[in-house]
C-alpha cells in the first residue's frame, strides 16, 4: 500500500456524488459517450441485472468460495459478509480463483454493455483488463506477508489517473457493483482535477496538491458506473462493516489514443474481429500506435 502522504490534499469533507443515473430503454441505455469522455459520471441503473449477468457473476463467485474454503459458512453467506468467515489469505485465493472463472464472462459483459449503450456513434475497442476488487473492512485485512500486491483489491489504491501508466486517453472505465457500494467503502473521484496537470510519479499522485472535493459514490448491486479514465480517482479505505465487491472493465471510445509519456501499454481489441478467423489481428490498431511500437521495442532489449 502506498504511504498515506500520497493521498491528495483535500480541504473539505467528502461530498455526495452528483451522478447521471440512466434507466434502461427498449433499445438500450441512452448514453452519449462523448459526455462521459468530457467528464460526466454516468450510472447504468441495474445494468448487470438488465443484461442478465449478475446471477452468473454471483454463481461463479460462490463456486470460487466453495472451492477455496469448502465447508465454511462463507459458502452460503452473503458475499458482503465474506470477511466474517474467510481470512485475508483465503479472500486473496478466492479472488485469484474467481479471476480465472470470470475471464470468459468478462469479455461477454463488456461486449454486451458497449452494445447496449446508444446511440452508437463511436466504435468501442475492448480491453482484456479484468479487475476483481474484493475490499473487506480495513481492520480485517491482516497477515499480508507473502501475498501479491493488494492495492485496489484488498487494500485501498491511492489517487491516480489510469493514462499515467498504461491505458488509452479515450478510455471509459466500467465499475460494476456486485454487492452494495456505500459511503465509506467505495470509489472516490475528483471532478475538479479532471484533465488538470498534476504531479505524479508515473503511477500515483504526488502529495500536497489541491484536487478539490472528492465525490463519494453509492451504487446498488448490478449498477454500472461509467467514467473517463482521465478522472483522478482512488479506492476508499473500507470503514464499513461489509465487504465491498466490484468488477472493473474498460474500453476505448474509438481507436485507442495513448499518452506520449505513459509508463506502460496495454492493447485494445477491435470487437468486429473477435470470434472470426481474423481475431489474431484484433489488437493490430493498438500495436501500430507510437505507444505500441515503443512497447515492442522495449520488449526486444
Amino acid at each position: 500500500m502506498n504511504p498515506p502522504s500520497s493521498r491528495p490534499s483535500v480541504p473539505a469533507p467528502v461530498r455526495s456524488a452528483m451522478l447521471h443515473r440512466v434507466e434502461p430503454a427498449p433499445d438500450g441505455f441512452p448514453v452519449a459517450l462523448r459526455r462521459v469522455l468530457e467528464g460526466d459520471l454516468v450510472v447504468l441503473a441495474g445494468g448487470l441485472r438488465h443484461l442478465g449477468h449478475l446471477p452468473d457473476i454471483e454463481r461463479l463467485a460462490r463456486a470460487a468460495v466453495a472451492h477455496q474454503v469448502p465447508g465454511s459458512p462463507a459458502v452460503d453467506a452473503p458475499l458482503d459478509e465474506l470477511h466474517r468467515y474467510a481470512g485475508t489469505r483465503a479472500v486473496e485465493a478466492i479472488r485469484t480463483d474467481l479471476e480465472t472463472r470470470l475471464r470468459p464472462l468478462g469479455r461477454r459483459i463488456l461486449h454486451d454493455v458497449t452494445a447496449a449503450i446508444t446511440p452508437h456513434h463511436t466504435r468501442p475497442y475492448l480491453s482484456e483488463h479484468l479487475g476483481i476488487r474484493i475490499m473487506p473492512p480495513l481492520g480485517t485485512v491482516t497477515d499480508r506477508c507473502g501475498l501479491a500486491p493488494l492495492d485496489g483489491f484488498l487494500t485501498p489504491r491511492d489517487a491516480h489517473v489510469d493514462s499515467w501508466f498504461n491505458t488509452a486517453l479515450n478510455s471509459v472505465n466500467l465499475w460494476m457493483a456486485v454487492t452494495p457500494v456505500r459511503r465509506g467503502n467505495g470509489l472516490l473521484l475528483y471532478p475538479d482535477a479532471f484533465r488538470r496537470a498534476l504531479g505524479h510519479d508515473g503511477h500515483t499522485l504526488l502529495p500536497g496538491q489541491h484536487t478539490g472535493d472528492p465525490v463519494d459514490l453509492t451504487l446498488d448491486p448490478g449498477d454500472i458506473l461509467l467514467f473517463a479514465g482521465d478522472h483522478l480517482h482512488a479506492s476508499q479505505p473500507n470503514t464499513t462493516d461489509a465487504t465491498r465487491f466490484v468488477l472493473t472493465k474498460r474500453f476505448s471510445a474509438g481507436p485507442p489514443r495513448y499518452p506520449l509519456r505513459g509508463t506502460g501499454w496495454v492493447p485494445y481489441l477491435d470487437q468486429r474481429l473477435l470470434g472470426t478467423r481474423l481475431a489474431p489481428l484484433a489488437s493490430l490498431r493498438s500495436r501500430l500506435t507510437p505507444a505500441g511500437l515503443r512497447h515492442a521495442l522495449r520488449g526486444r532489449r
Side-chain angles (χ1 to χ4, degrees):
M1 179 175 170
N2 292 318
S5 60
S6 61
R7 293 257 172 207
S9 173
V10 180
V14 171
R15 58 185 168 90
S16 299
M18 297 295 292
L19 303 176
H20 301 282
R21 190 171 178 86
V22 179
E23 300 290 336
D27 58 346
F29 289 91
V31 174
L33 286 179
R34 174 182 59 81
R35 296 291 301 274
V36 176
L37 290 176
E38 290 173 354
D40 280 7
L41 305 177
V42 175
V43 173
L44 308 184
L48 288 175
R49 291 188 189 277
H50 178 74
L51 297 172
H53 292 305
L54 188 58
D56 286 335
I57 294 170
E58 292 172 336
R59 174 180 56 80
L60 291 171
R62 294 201 173 282
V65 172
H67 185 252
Q68 295 300 326
V69 287
S72 165
V75 175
D76 299 313
L79 291 173
D80 60 1
E81 294 183 7
L82 183 61
H83 62 283
R84 300 184 187 278
Y85 310 104
T88 302
R89 290 180 176 274
V91 174
E92 168 68 356
I94 290 166
R95 187 189 70 82
T96 301
D97 185 322
L98 185 55
E99 186 172 19
T100 301
R101 296 174 189 268
L102 265 177
R103 192 159 291 283
L105 179 61
R107 180 182 280 187
R108 293 201 298 275
I109 291 172
L110 187 55
H111 175 274
D112 290 351
V113 170
T114 55
I117 294 173
T118 59
H120 302 287
H121 293 324
T122 306
R123 179 183 305 122
Y125 284 67
L126 310 185
S127 170
E128 294 286 72
H129 158 85
L130 172 64
I132 300 174
R133 306 188 183 280
I134 301 175
M135 184 82 70
L138 193 59
T140 69
V141 180
T142 59
D143 189 25
R144 295 171 53 191
C145 181
L147 295 178
L150 306 179
D151 293 10
F153 297 96
L154 289 172
T155 57
R157 173 72 193 274
D158 282 339
H160 62 282
V161 174
D162 292 341
S163 59
W164 288 346
F165 34 100
N166 59 15
T167 62
L169 293 167
N170 54 336
S171 287
V172 175
N173 287 339
L174 279 64
W175 217 71
M176 300 177 279
V178 178
T179 61
V181 175
R182 296 290 177 252
R183 294 181 189 177
N185 75 1
L187 180 72
L188 296 178
L189 290 111
Y190 298 81
D192 294 343
F194 182 61
R195 289 185 177 160
R196 276 180 42 199
L198 296 168
H200 60 88
D201 62 6
H203 287 82
T204 304
L205 183 75
L206 293 176
Q209 301 180 76
H210 176 65
T211 56
D213 299 345
V215 162
D216 190 359
L217 298 166
T218 63
L219 301 171
D220 294 326
D223 285 353
I224 301 175
L225 169 69
L226 304 180
F227 67 96
D230 270 355
H231 266 296
L232 181 70
H233 58 283
S235 49
Q236 191 173 12
N238 186 350
T239 57
T240 73
D241 62 354
T243 291
R244 183 260 284 161
F245 186 170
V246 167
L247 302 181
T248 60
K249 293 285 291 179
R250 66 172 59 100
F251 64 93
S252 66
R257 296 183 288 103
Y258 296 94
L260 294 176
R261 296 180 177 84
T263 57
W265 174 85
V266 293
Y268 292 74
L269 308 180
D270 187 338
Q271 65 176 337
R272 297 172 301 174
L273 304 183
L274 299 177
T276 74
R277 290 182 297 175
L278 297 177
L281 302 178
S283 64
L284 186 61
R285 189 72 178 262
S286 281
R287 296 185 184 280
L288 293 180
T289 61
L293 295 173
R294 285 198 303 271
H295 175 79
L297 289 174
R298 282 196 295 265
R300 292 182 178 181
R301 292 174 184 170

